Amino acid sequence: MNALQTGPDEAQPPTDQDGGAPACVMSFNANDPSGASGIGADIATVAAMGAHALPVVTSLLIRDTAEVFESVEIDPEAVMEQARSILEDVTVASWKVGFLGSAENISVVAEILSDYPDTPLVAHLSNLSWMDDDAQMAYLDAYRELILPATHVLVGAHQTLTDFLLPEWESERMPSARELAVAASELGASYVLVTGVQLPDQFIDNVLASPQGALAGERFERFEAGFVGAGDTLSAALAAILSSGTELDVAVSEALSFLDQALDAGFRPGMGNVVPDRFFWALPPGDAPADGEPLPEGSEPGQPTLDDTPPPSSRNVH
């Protein structure tokens, strides 16, 4: 990975144009006790990008750094009250939607979003293979019907978005980012950010696309390792950058660069997968490895497919 080591203090932070305060990003996501994904990842990423997070907890994940065991639902009324109480007080510049817990909570969040149609929404669809089949089907059906029509950018791994948007796909080749964008557009989403697109060499591609074609993207080198929290990091960074009014193609490039560096500085806090370091830029001089220099034994990260699905020969990541 060869992105320059830069931090939010070297770029213009998202601000409220009226008062100079940091722009506010409301995140709807699950609580992950590992701090790797979910609402904790969103808070850390939005803060690292210079914006202010307004976290709304939608469920409680029971998990470690290796896998998700189950999700404990939060009452939809409680989700509604969390959001409505702060929305009466604070202006939101962008939205981030992560895992919402249940079809009922999707309905509640969609109702809130419908009141703010001009505020950009970044929706991250992660791998939900750990869910019960019936619950997963109900969740994804509600997501298609209620979240996608409000979505500015849908973020997800190539395989995850293919299964979700083109479940009847039968070709031996994987669909292109444009074909996924066409399918998303038919459901109401404006753009897709497809991660983990397999290339014939030792690289994977990450592509922003509309129904008209690819608009932006960046290739990452592949390494054999497992990450957790990459997709939430990318989507939260994108939502934070969009909160300042940055053009979408520029925002995607900046968000991918931020993720690249956060993964490069990733660490393994437990016995499971590597966690992105969203505050890589705050490391004292000499603490961050030079480009191409391996991290200490036991902590060397690899390149994920960016929505927490495992690359070949890696451990499962959620």
Side-chain angles (χ1 to χ4, degrees):
M1 303 178 196
N2 51 22
L4 293 176
Q5 183 95 358
T6 58
D9 58 331
E10 298 183 25
Q12 188 67 29
T15 58
D16 178 346
Q17 295 180 352
D18 293 331
C24 293
V25 179
M26 179 167 284
S27 168
F28 297 92
N29 214 339
N31 183 63
D32 170 3
S34 77
S37 66
I39 206 76
D42 289 348
I43 293 170
T45 301
V46 169
M49 300 306 296
H52 178 68
L54 304 174
V56 176
V57 179
T58 56
S59 69
L60 306 175
L61 292 182
I62 310 300
R63 68 159 302 155
D64 58 18
T65 59
E67 61 182 314
V68 178
F69 303 109
E70 64 177 307
S71 171
V72 178
E73 292 186 15
I74 289 181
D75 183 78
E77 188 66 25
V79 174
M80 174 74 80
E81 290 303 316
Q82 286 181 79
R84 291 294 190 197
S85 61
I86 194 64
L87 286 170
E88 292 176 0
D89 178 45
V90 175
T91 299
V92 171
S94 64
W95 311 97
K96 154 68 192 287
V97 165
F99 180 59
L100 301 180
S102 66
E104 292 76 17
N105 282 351
I106 287 176
S107 179
V108 163
V109 171
E111 181 181 340
I112 294 168
L113 297 173
S114 68
D115 291 337
Y116 304 86
D118 297 326
T119 303
L121 164 64
V122 177
H124 171 232
L125 183 65
S126 61
N127 176 17
L128 301 177
S129 60
W130 55 270
M131 293 181 73
D132 172 83
D133 287 346
D134 290 341
Q136 183 182 165
M137 183 177 298
Y139 183 93
L140 293 176
D141 285 347
Y143 200 96
R144 287 187 190 91
E145 181 180 352
L146 300 174
I147 297 300
L148 285 195
T151 298
H152 188 49
V153 185
L154 175 64
V155 181
H158 198 188
Q159 185 64 62
T160 300
L161 292 185
T162 298
D163 294 342
F164 176 61
L165 295 170
L166 296 169
E168 304 302 321
W169 186 266
E170 295 181 352
S171 174
E172 291 185 3
R173 70 169 181 85
M174 291 288 284
S176 67
R178 188 195 69 81
E179 287 169 322
L180 290 170
V182 169
S185 176
E186 291 172 353
L187 296 168
S190 300
Y191 302 91
V192 295
L193 176 51
V194 186
T195 65
V197 179
Q198 305 296 321
L199 298 175
D201 49 21
Q202 290 300 310
F203 290 85
I204 59 173
D205 208 0
N206 307 285
V207 183
L208 172 72
S210 73
Q212 287 70 48
L215 302 174
E218 187 168 333
R219 295 183 178 189
F220 287 166
E221 187 175 358
R222 176 190 297 283
F223 292 92
E224 305 301 330
F227 282 81
V228 61
D232 272 329
T233 301
L234 175 61
S235 50
L238 179 57
I241 297 167
L242 289 175
S243 71
S244 67
T246 303
E247 293 295 326
L248 180 57
D249 57 341
V250 175
V252 166
S253 294
E254 291 183 5
L256 285 169
S257 178
F258 176 84
L259 176 65
D260 186 25
Q261 295 172 88
L263 295 175
D264 221 7
F267 61 97
R268 183 174 282 110
M271 296 181 290
N273 296 292
V274 177
V275 175
D277 186 351
R278 292 104 183 174
F279 290 92
F280 61 87
W281 47 270
L283 291 172
D287 284 9
D291 230 7
E293 178 183 331
L295 293 176
E297 184 178 354
S299 63
E300 184 176 355
Q303 183 59 42
T305 54
L306 305 191
D307 90 326
D308 309 327
T309 56
S313 304
S314 74
R315 301 184 55 160
N316 278 338
V317 188
H318 299 280

